[in-house]
Amino acid sequence: MCALLFCQYSISQKLRYIFIFFLGISMLCLFSHTYAQPDSAKTHEPPPVISINLISFDPAVGDLFARLAVTWPEHLLTADKSLKKDAKLIEKFSTDDSILQINAGSSFSAFNSMLKTTSEVDDAGSQFTYPFDEHSARMHIFLEYNEKDKDNTFITDCRKCAFEGFSITRNEHINPDQSHSFEWIISRSLAIKIFSVCVNILMIVIAASVLLMAIRILHSQEAPQISALGFVGGLIFAMPAVRSLQPRIPPIGILIDYVGFFWAEGLLIAALLIVLFCWVSRSHQTQPNEEAESSLDEGTESLLGEDTE
């Protein structure tokens, strides 16, 4: 019946009624959203903020050092900046101190809200794949009150979750009990990866060039100079110093050594053996030539002396 009556209206009237209908629906939705949360919006108080400061990471030991600091909102503090109720800051996976007790009533107790933590990575001390090694560490942070208060919510601040030489990825999860779980994935920075690869390429290029020089000496049928032995031998003992230029590199024996350093040392040792063989086998050939040259020089000097007289 309504549809038949609606069809009898003109097009302008139909458009007018459609516009009024949708305008009423929009106003109804707006007022329902506005009045649905007035009390919660007014009574909501800001939660505490836990700032996470990652200080450093020791890959040889596998320890991730951090500081947790709580910033308390004003509604939880008294006039003398003490807490209105006792609180505990807990980090479940810390191998150092795990619990910080903050007592209410003592003046300025809100400023004594820092916990130093030490988290162990899952593969402590594993650096075989340097500089492409990757480590992960976990944190589980609680904030509890001694009173029967179920509102343990807090937010985290990770603006200081970084340190030099490493790239850090953070995975955060809020649990049903209002605690926060973190997984830190730590890897070397891109600059260190590029620099390490370039150093190893440089070592191989230098060693290969010296080996080519030794092969040319082998095919030249001439005795090498004694200085060539010192040059090649010096490079063999200089390569470990070049290797140590890589930032925070572990001791010898990691994967990149098998790709670069060991090959460079092997090529230099081969070059030294070739030059040493040529010097030992051909050094006697230079002695007659040197004696002939010295006698020729003496004869020339004597002739020049007679001419001058």
Side-chain angles (χ1 to χ4, degrees):
M1 187 67 180
C2 294
L4 293 174
L5 292 174
F6 185 75
C7 293
Q8 295 177 359
Y9 296 138
S10 62
I11 296 176
S12 60
Q13 291 177 333
K14 291 178 181 180
L15 293 175
R16 188 182 300 112
Y17 284 120
I18 291 173
F19 174 76
I20 294 173
F21 174 76
F22 281 106
L23 180 62
I25 294 294
S26 302
M27 295 298 293
L28 182 62
C29 294
L30 179 63
F31 282 109
S32 64
H33 179 73
T34 303
Y35 289 104
Q37 303 173 346
D39 296 335
S40 61
K42 292 180 181 179
T43 58
H44 177 70
E45 299 289 351
V49 178
I50 297 181
S51 302
I52 303 175
N53 182 10
L54 299 182
I55 303 172
S56 64
F57 172 61
D58 186 357
V61 180
D63 287 341
L64 174 64
F65 302 98
R67 292 193 186 102
L68 307 179
V70 185
T71 303
W72 301 99
E74 292 295 331
H75 70 92
L76 292 178
L77 300 177
T78 61
D80 59 353
K81 300 301 180 182
S82 63
L83 290 180
K84 293 181 179 178
K85 49 188 175 181
D86 295 339
K88 289 182 181 179
L89 175 61
I90 304 170
E91 205 288 283
K92 179 179 177 181
F93 296 113
S94 176
T95 58
D96 204 348
D97 295 335
S98 299
I99 302 175
L100 175 65
Q101 177 70 45
I102 307 171
N103 298 319
S106 56
S107 301
F108 305 104
S109 62
F111 301 135
N112 188 21
S113 303
M114 180 177 292
L115 175 65
K116 296 181 179 180
T117 65
T118 304
S119 302
E120 188 176 10
V121 297
D122 57 348
D123 55 347
S126 177
Q127 305 180 80
F128 181 71
T129 56
Y130 173 95
F132 303 101
D133 52 331
E134 190 174 277
H135 313 272
S136 64
R138 294 184 298 166
M139 279 186 182
H140 197 169
I141 302 174
F142 298 84
L143 187 59
E144 295 184 354
Y145 303 102
N146 291 347
E147 299 179 1
K148 295 181 179 179
D149 191 349
K150 296 182 179 179
D151 186 14
N152 297 335
T153 59
F154 61 91
I155 59 177
T156 57
D157 180 10
C158 283
R159 288 177 294 178
K160 296 181 180 179
C161 297
F163 39 78
E164 296 180 355
F166 293 91
S167 175
I168 301 175
T169 304
R170 172 175 60 99
N171 297 323
E172 183 177 0
H173 176 70
I174 301 177
N175 303 303
D177 59 353
Q178 301 175 355
S179 62
H180 290 233
S181 298
F182 292 87
E183 181 183 12
W184 308 100
I185 300 176
I186 308 170
S187 58
R188 311 279 175 171
S189 64
L190 181 61
I192 290 180
K193 293 177 182 178
I194 295 175
F195 183 76
S196 179
V197 171
C198 291
V199 167
N200 282 271
I201 292 175
L202 178 64
M203 288 191 293
I204 293 177
V205 169
I206 293 175
S209 302
V210 174
L211 181 62
L212 290 176
M213 180 194 72
I215 293 174
R216 290 189 61 182
I217 293 175
L218 180 64
H219 291 291
S220 67
Q221 303 299 325
E222 295 181 358
Q225 298 292 329
I226 191 66
S227 59
L229 292 172
F231 171 70
V232 180
L235 282 178
I236 291 176
F237 293 100
M239 280 300 168
V242 176
R243 177 190 179 273
S244 64
L245 293 176
Q246 302 172 74
R248 300 188 182 184
I249 187 168
I252 293 177
I254 56 178
L255 179 62
I256 202 169
D257 289 335
Y258 292 95
V259 177
F261 175 72
F262 289 155
W263 279 99
E265 289 287 280
L267 294 176
L268 288 175
I269 291 173
L272 179 63
L273 293 176
I274 292 173
V275 175
L276 183 61
F277 170 77
C278 294
W279 183 78
V280 171
S281 60
R282 300 172 187 173
S283 60
H284 65 279
Q285 299 177 2
T286 60
Q287 293 178 358
N289 296 331
E290 292 176 355
E291 292 177 358
E293 289 177 359
S294 61
S295 62
L296 181 62
D297 293 338
E298 291 175 359
T300 0
E301 289 176 359
S302 61
L303 289 173
L304 290 173
E306 292 177 358
D307 292 339
T308 52
E309 290 176 0

